């Protein structure tokens, strides 16, 4: 028997071993309840109307994805609340988790200007939970169909959730190893003058605080995340993460991300940690018998499941690294930004207009995105080249419908990255309707950033190779 086959057999034995279902049940309940809360947040702030009904433009990930007309889009969003609660109580679980994940993914795909890393994370964990037996205990399903009830599950669901979260947390630290972040930006820009926001806000008076915080976040993710796997450091690191996420929730408007990440992080504790925690509390008041042994059970993980998991995690590791194919600055151009866990790492300010010129050159019009779409949309339209390009094509179509075929569309957009001076972002002399978008290479009509960070070059870090900003000209 070869070493590889022995290792594979050992891996299967490890993943098939029976463990308590309790930690997976906690994830199921928390996942469902947090998404039900997210449904209420959107309803309370009328976000479905503002994001998907009111705007005249949407920028879907795929051309065939379109917003449903009102009131159907509100009714569909109601499915997030309904199926979130059904997942939490474990009622008709398989149908509920598929519906919950599918509806959430639909809204995610509707508009790239609404992209959030934590929404992508929800979809990933939702897809994984689809295949997990999270309803075998403490659920309506287990009550309705007792033959399904089980106190034990194979280890693989818990192991898979751990690996997925480790990838996210570690990448969230790696991508911050940039010149700007290491010198305290954009935390300095965001937090200066916000001394009253949190109890430790007095530290925001000192520049060194932003530098130490920036370095600390990298260490927490790159070093702390693996330490969640070790029982001796797990609780301490978890408590640091709880404080970190609580602080983020107080300082930034980041929705459900802190709370769902805390909930998911409980998967690192022993599979029966809820029972142990309860016994530790009750043990203070009465003497308890020894914990019973887990019921005996045998599980088998099919070879195709191992192959599927290998492919899944290969994609999860490779996709955030696709910026290596772009010899430019991710924070400036946006190439490789999405799906790579670059969470709250850049501060971008943009301004500009789109200039439309008739085919004979005799007429021209200016369109300010802020006047034809929501602020959230306009902010992203002016910051992301792929959306700038798509909006130019939409304007060409809109003017053709008004009787002006073959117009030229130019984007006069200026942008600032992490507090640098505004500079021209898009070549204002390039007719965006006369070119095609190439996802495989940087667009030549994006102007390079001309301003270095004080004391260093602009660069991005990569697991494969560092992307140096040597081709970017120095500025003042």
């Amino acid at each position: 028997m070869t070493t590889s086959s022995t290792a594979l057999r050992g891996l299967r034995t490890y993943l098939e071993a029976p463990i308590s279902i309790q930690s997976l049940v906690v994830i199921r309940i928390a996942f469902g309840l947090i998404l039900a809360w997210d449904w209420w947040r959107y309803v309370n702030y009328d976000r479905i109307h503002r994001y998907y009904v009111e705007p005249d433009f949407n920028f879907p990930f795929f051309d065939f994805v379109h917003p449903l007309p009102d009131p159907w889009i509100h009714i569909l969003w109601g499915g997030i609340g309904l199926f979130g609660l059904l997942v939490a109580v474990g009622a008709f679980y398989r149908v509920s988790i598929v519906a919950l994940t599918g509806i959430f993914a639909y809204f995610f795909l509707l508009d790239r200007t609404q992209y959030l890393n934590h929404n992508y994370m929800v979809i990933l964990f939702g897809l994984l939970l689809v295949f997990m037996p999270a309803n075998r205990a403490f659920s309506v399903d287990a009550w309705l169909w007792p033959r399904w009830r089980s106190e034990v599950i194979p280890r693989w669901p818990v192991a898979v959730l751990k690996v997925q979260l480790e990838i996210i947390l570690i990448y969230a630290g790696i991508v911050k190893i940039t010149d700007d972040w290491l010198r305290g930006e954009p935390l300095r820009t965001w937090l200066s003058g916000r001394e009253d926001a949190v109890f430790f806000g007095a530290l925001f008076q000192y520049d060194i605080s932003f530098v130490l915080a920036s370095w600390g976040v990298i260490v927490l993710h790159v070093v702390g995340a693996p330490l969640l796997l070790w029982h001796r450091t797990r609780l301490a690191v978890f408590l640091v993460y709880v404080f970190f996420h609580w602080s983020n929730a107080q300082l930034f408007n980041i929705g459900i991300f802190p709370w769902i990440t805390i909930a998911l992080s409980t998967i690192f504790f022993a599979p029966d940690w809820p029972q142990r925690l309860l016994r530790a509390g009750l043990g203070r008041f009465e003497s308890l018998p020894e914990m019973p042994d887990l019921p005996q059970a045998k599980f088998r993980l099919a070879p195709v499941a191992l192959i599927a998991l290998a492919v899944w995690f290969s994609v999860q590791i490779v996709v955030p690294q696709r910026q290596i194919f772009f010899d430019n600055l991710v924070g400036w151009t946006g190439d490789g930004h999405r799906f790579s866990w670059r969470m709250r790492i850049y501060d971008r300010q943009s301004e500009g207009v789109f200039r439309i010129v008739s085919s004979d050159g005799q007429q021209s019009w200016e369109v300010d995105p802020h006047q034809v779409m929501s602020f959230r949309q306009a902010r992203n339209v002016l910051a992301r080249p792929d959306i700038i390009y798509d909006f130019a094509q939409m304007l060409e179509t809109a003017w053709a419908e008004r009787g002006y075929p073959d117009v030229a569309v130019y984007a006069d957009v200026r942008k600032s990255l992490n507090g640098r001076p505004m500079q021209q972002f898009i070549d204002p002399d390039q007719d965006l309707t006369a070119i095609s978008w190439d996802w495989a290479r940087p667009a030549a009509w994006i102007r390079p950033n001309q301003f270095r960070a004080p004391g260093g070059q602009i660069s991005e870090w990569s697991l494969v190779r560092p992307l140096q900003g040597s081709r970017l000209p120095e500025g003042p």
Side-chain angles (χ1 to χ4, degrees), residues 309-330:
L309 288 174
V311 171
W312 173 276
F313 287 120
S314 296
V315 171
Q316 295 302 309
I317 292 172
V318 170
V319 167
Q321 278 297 303
R322 69 191 187 283
Q323 84 276 5
I324 67 173
F325 299 107
F326 300 96
D327 186 20
N328 56 23
L329 183 65
V330 176

Side-chain angles (χ1 to χ4, degrees), residues 141-367:
D141 288 348
W143 175 67
L144 291 175
W145 296 281
R147 62 188 178 86
W148 289 359
R149 189 180 305 155
S150 177
E151 296 179 26
V152 296
I153 56 171
R155 192 192 304 272
W156 72 261
V158 170
V160 165
L161 294 178
K162 287 181 180 179
V163 174
Q164 180 64 71
L165 191 54
E166 282 287 323
I167 291 173
I168 294 173
L169 293 177
I170 292 174
Y171 264 122
I174 287 176
V175 298
K176 290 180 172 63
I177 306 178
T178 64
D179 292 327
D180 279 4
W181 189 266
L182 294 177
R183 67 184 179 88
E185 286 292 351
L187 287 183
R188 182 183 289 103
T189 298
W190 291 336
L191 299 180
S192 293
R194 299 194 60 194
E195 289 79 6
D196 297 332
V198 287
F199 69 87
F200 54 88
L203 297 174
F204 298 163
Q205 303 175 66
Y206 309 101
D207 279 352
I208 189 63
S209 299
F210 305 117
V211 176
L212 293 177
S214 298
W215 285 69
V217 170
I218 294 173
V219 173
L220 175 61
H221 289 320
V222 176
V223 179
L227 291 179
L228 286 169
L229 297 169
W230 190 28
H231 71 95
R232 293 194 176 186
T233 54
R234 183 175 300 137
L235 179 59
V237 174
F238 175 78
L239 292 176
V240 174
Y241 264 114
V242 169
F243 176 75
F244 170 74
H245 290 303
W246 173 86
S247 300
N248 281 335
Q250 304 307 306
L251 293 169
F252 307 111
N253 180 23
I254 49 178
I256 64 173
F257 177 72
W259 316 117
I260 199 166
T261 308
I262 291 173
L264 291 170
S265 297
T266 62
I267 199 67
F268 290 104
F269 291 104
D272 60 350
W273 72 263
Q275 183 179 9
R276 295 190 183 199
L277 185 62
L278 181 61
R279 286 174 60 88
L282 295 176
R284 294 179 175 272
F285 306 100
E286 59 179 305
S287 178
L288 300 176
E290 294 293 324
M291 288 181 60
D293 293 332
L294 285 175
Q296 295 297 312
K298 288 187 177 181
F299 300 100
R300 182 178 180 274
L301 185 62
V304 67
L306 280 175
I307 295 173
L309 288 174
V311 171
W312 173 276
F313 287 120
S314 296
V315 171
Q316 295 302 309
I317 292 172
V318 170
V319 167
Q321 278 297 303
R322 69 191 187 283
Q323 84 276 5
I324 67 173
F325 299 107
F326 300 96
D327 186 20
N328 56 23
L329 183 65
V330 176
W332 178 249
T333 66
D335 293 321
H337 175 83
R338 299 186 188 97
F339 313 109
S340 60
W341 311 117
R342 287 175 164 80
M343 295 175 277
R344 296 208 67 84
I345 186 174
Y346 307 117
D347 180 77
R348 305 180 186 91
Q349 303 296 326
S350 302
E351 61 183 19
V353 296
F354 287 75
R355 186 164 53 91
I356 305 163
V357 180
S358 61
S359 56
D360 59 9
Q362 299 302 308
Q363 293 178 279
S364 65
W365 304 263
E366 281 192 355
V367 175

